Amino acid sequence: MPELPEVERGRKLAESVARGREMVRVECAHDPIVFQGNDAETLVQALLRRRVCAVRRRGKQIWFELDAPPHPLFHFGMSGGFHTRGARALRLKSGPRPDPAWPPRFAKICMGFDDGGELIMTDARRLGRILLRGDPEHEPPISRLGFDPLLDLPSPPRFVELVQARTAVIKSLLLDQRFAAGVGNWIADEALYQSGIDPRRRSSSLSSMEARRLRQKLRSIVRRAVAVNADNDRYPRTWLFHRRWGRRPDATTHRGERVEHITVGGRTTAWVPAAQS
């Protein structure tokens, strides 16, 4: 699933194509699941001839600020994403190889702009959403989100307070979008590995030092991943990221420590018992 760095990459792509441009062509698939009740005609009428003033993101949600409401809100789900002609599509570590054909398959919305640019959102598994909101920041789903680790990570004392006040398992807490918007499975596993924290521990059991270390690692991981535009080949080779996929029984870290896979809070979790306690 696209997590914060992958979604930020999508935001940057959309911004490069759409910001300051007027939508002169809008085509929508007839998909009541992805559009969640809005029919294609409603979407077209709402967006056609509207100018994109800004492209914004919080957590895994992206929205266009238009020159008049309603504003479109995009969520990529498990396998969705933005595409534009000539740009290399992002390949998720656990996903299929991107199809270079144009237009791409599984298009849900195609937006053409006044300079000839084109932006398409695809979603093969139909778990993404394209919604209309009058005031996206103050309406669900965005209004229900917690802090964004890239945009407004709490101060160290506040982060400690938030973590220690919860009784949830720490891995589950990190995945709760009401707590940390944009953190998904690989980021949570990476932050806990680099912090040396067992993913099964209760949040309230973390010491202030451990919680501060977790905050620092979460911050550095997200910033590094965003800085390389979610190109996972450029992530540090010491990261657990490169060793966590496929549930391989012989997987080891760069130091030779065994990587194990367990289920925590219903999610597959990669961790290193020798390094996390």
Side-chain angles (χ1 to χ4, degrees), residues 23-124:
M23 283 183 266
V24 297
R25 180 171 56 86
V26 180
E27 299 173 2
C28 297
H30 292 275
D31 193 325
I33 295 176
V34 172
F35 293 109
Q36 212 169 59
N38 288 314
D39 57 44
E41 291 73 18
T42 298
L43 267 293
V44 171
Q45 291 175 11
L47 303 182
L48 196 60
R49 296 298 174 183
R50 298 267 67 88
R51 187 171 297 275
V52 180
C53 301
V55 180
R56 302 185 60 191
R57 179 198 58 78
R58 186 168 191 83
K60 302 176 187 180
Q61 304 284 342
I62 294 176
W63 72 99
F64 291 179
E65 286 188 358
L66 305 183
D67 53 3
H71 310 278
L73 179 69
F74 306 91
H75 184 270
F76 293 156
M78 290 290 290
S79 61
F82 283 139
H83 305 264
T84 191
R85 192 187 299 271
R88 182 173 65 90
L90 175 66
R91 183 183 183 186
L92 297 174
K93 189 71 173 179
S94 59
R97 184 176 298 277
D99 185 350
W102 189 264
R105 298 172 63 201
F106 309 113
K108 297 304 175 183
I109 186 168
C110 176
M111 296 164 281
F113 298 91
D114 55 8
D115 65 341
E118 192 172 26
L119 186 70
I120 292 175
M121 178 178 155
T122 62
D123 182 11

Side-chain angles (χ1 to χ4, degrees), residues 168-176 185 189 192 198-202 262-270:
V169 170
I170 187 61
K171 169 69 183 284
S172 298
L173 180 64
L174 290 174
L175 293 181
D176 186 344
N185 216 26
D189 284 352
L192 291 168
D198 187 323
R200 301 168 297 182
R201 284 180 57 185
R202 294 287 172 183
I262 56 177
T263 300
V264 179
R267 301 294 300 275
T268 298
T269 298

